[in-house]
Amino acid sequence: MKKIVLLLVVSLFCASTLTAQKKDKVIYKQNWDKQKLFWGYYLGINNKDYKIDYTQENVFIDVTASTGFDVGLIGDLKLTKHINLRLEPGLSSNTKELAFTHIPGGKKDSIREVNATYLRVPLLVKLSTDRYYNIRPYVIGGVSYDYNFSSNQDNPDDNSNGEFRMKKNNFTYELGVGIDIYMPYFIFSPSIRGVFAINNELVKDNDPNSQWTGNVDNFGTRGIFLKLAFH
């Protein structure tokens, strides 16, 4: 009986403590979600390479990517309690090294370095859960127009002169998950995104039988983005 009474007392103490903690929980930015329109900005890093499809087997291009950066603005329009339409224009930069493993010889013929800085204009739909105290998870996805500032699409020289050419105008889609964390003075919103090309970004060499691009059927960006947003 003493053990039962002790267990009951401990249980009641724990329950009262949890209740007190809930009552003492500070809820930040309680009116934030009532806004129809708000602005913000983001910083981030990315790791991108290319998805490559070939017209025949045994032709391979190895892609080595380095870590790049992202920076941009956020415009968010509330459509319903759980659905927001979001525009996230910004800059994304990254460098990739391409190794054409099927081409013999030195680096002059078998290695190409691709530097790319994109103006990205994603139009996204954000689907959020109900808010739980100061956090609110969400999923996000949509399409983006990407303008490649580093494109040499109009250059008459091709890989025979050491020029690996990429298109200026491209389209991608992205999917991601994140969480809104309500702080005393702002909303901190980290997310992770996957980005995938819709169109073929490669400008083929002038020679249709080029050893660099002749057997490439499709060449498009894919990558992972880590974004840290502040509202």
Side-chain angles (χ1 to χ4, degrees), residues 101-164:
T101 60
H102 62 291
I103 299 178
K107 290 186 177 181
K108 180 179 179 181
D109 290 332
S110 62
I111 300 294
R112 294 288 183 268
E113 187 174 272
V114 182
N115 299 304
T117 298
Y118 292 91
L119 169 64
R120 304 192 69 247
V121 188
L123 182 62
L124 309 168
V125 176
K126 177 185 176 185
L127 305 176
S128 304
T129 67
D130 287 330
R131 176 174 175 172
Y132 181 74
Y133 292 107
N134 289 315
I135 63 172
R136 194 180 193 192
Y138 63 86
V139 296
I140 193 167
V143 296
S144 174
Y145 166 71
D146 298 354
Y147 180 84
N148 187 355
F149 286 111
S150 305
S151 170
N152 52 0
Q153 176 178 334
D154 299 326
N155 192 331
D157 293 332
D158 60 13
N159 278 290
S160 60
N161 298 108
E163 291 291 331
F164 187 86

Side-chain angles (χ1 to χ4, degrees), residues 181-220:
I181 302 173
Y182 296 76
M183 309 292 283
Y185 301 106
F186 60 90
I187 310 297
F188 175 54
S189 182
S191 65
I192 186 167
R193 317 275 183 91
V195 178
F196 310 92
I198 295 174
N199 64 293
N200 185 359
E201 298 181 46
L202 177 66
V203 177
K204 287 204 169 188
D205 292 340
N206 302 322
D207 180 3
N209 297 315
S210 164
Q211 62 179 340
W212 293 277
T213 65
N215 292 313
V216 176
D217 185 50
N218 188 74
F219 192 96

